[in-house]
Amino acid sequence: MSRIGNRRLVVPEGVTITIDGNQVTVKGPKGELSLEIMKNIAVTVEENTVVVTRANDEKTTKAMHGTTNANIHNMIEGVTNGFKKELEIIGVGYRFAMKGNALVINAGYSHPVELEIPEGLSVDVTSNTEITVNGISKEKVGEFAANIRKVRKPEPYKGKGIRYKDEHVQRKEGKKAA
């Protein structure tokens, strides 16, 4: 039994959900998102609620039942409030900067790393060591934040690198003198 798949999603004011075959489109004040659903999953809109049901109890259908419900919930949340990820960079000489539509990262390499900002996302540089990635798609925000973090992952000895704002890095003790 899927508890997440069976939950009813409440549609807030100003959000419209349209279903066209196997395509679900959510429009809200911040934008529009669409999702293609599996053929064994049915999505219905009843007044102010969205109900996701499955046709059979096959393993893949049961797995996609909860996933589809969660994805539609994230779409509703994204078009109303949006999503954001905050990152910080720690290290001597490490910094973030914007250059047109690209994020420039100086992370201790011999060259600065430039990452093109995807369509639908915005990056705010609050200081030269902190940034915020904003967008309406939870998937795109999380993926781009992970790509930024991948440039220089935090290392366990000195803690240098790029990390999420709320991330705790497990520190290790260095070598002992003999």
Side-chain angles (χ1 to χ4, degrees):
M1 179 177 87
S2 173
R3 292 186 181 148
I4 292 178
N6 290 332
R7 74 178 171 185
R8 293 177 171 270
L9 302 174
V10 178
V11 180
E13 292 268 334
V15 175
T16 59
I17 298 177
T18 57
I19 301 164
D20 183 29
N22 63 343
Q23 193 81 14
V24 176
T25 305
V26 179
K27 291 181 187 175
K30 290 199 176 246
E32 176 181 337
L33 292 171
S34 63
L35 172 72
E36 192 169 322
I37 57 173
M38 239 174 95
K39 64 181 177 207
N40 292 330
I41 304 292
V43 179
T44 56
V45 180
E46 301 168 354
E47 296 175 21
N48 277 9
T49 60
V50 177
V51 179
V52 180
T53 56
R54 64 176 184 250
N56 55 34
D57 285 341
E58 291 179 12
K59 190 173 184 177
T60 56
T61 307
K62 287 170 77 173
M64 290 307 294
H65 184 213
T67 302
T68 304
N69 191 306
N71 286 342
I72 293 172
H73 177 264
N74 288 338
M75 289 165 56
I76 293 170
E77 184 72 25
V79 297
T80 54
N81 301 328
F83 293 100
K84 72 175 183 175
K85 289 268 189 181
E86 296 176 335
L87 293 105
E88 61 184 351
I89 191 166
I90 296 174
V92 177
Y94 291 13
R95 62 184 165 274
F96 295 116
M98 290 296 292
K99 181 178 168 185
N101 193 30
L103 177 68
V104 179
I105 305 170
N106 290 324
Y109 297 118
S110 62
H111 60 285
V113 178
E114 288 190 23
L115 294 177
E116 192 72 27
I117 299 172
E119 188 74 29
L121 295 183
S122 66
V123 176
D124 301 327
V125 180
T126 51
S127 71
N128 61 358
T129 60
E130 297 177 355
I131 61 169
T132 305
V133 180
N134 298 309
I136 62 172
S137 173
K138 186 174 187 178
E139 180 182 2
K140 285 184 180 180
V141 169
E143 183 181 7
F144 188 62
N147 287 339
I148 293 171
R149 185 180 179 275
K150 207 185 301 182
V151 170
R152 174 77 78 177
K153 290 183 181 175
E155 56 99 15
Y157 295 101
K158 292 183 179 178
K160 293 164 54 171
I162 302 171
R163 64 178 80 172
Y164 297 113
K165 197 74 166 224
D166 56 352
E167 181 179 5
H168 174 73
V169 176
Q170 189 74 32
R171 299 294 292 273
K172 290 183 178 178
E173 202 172 322
K175 288 184 179 178
K176 297 276 188 182

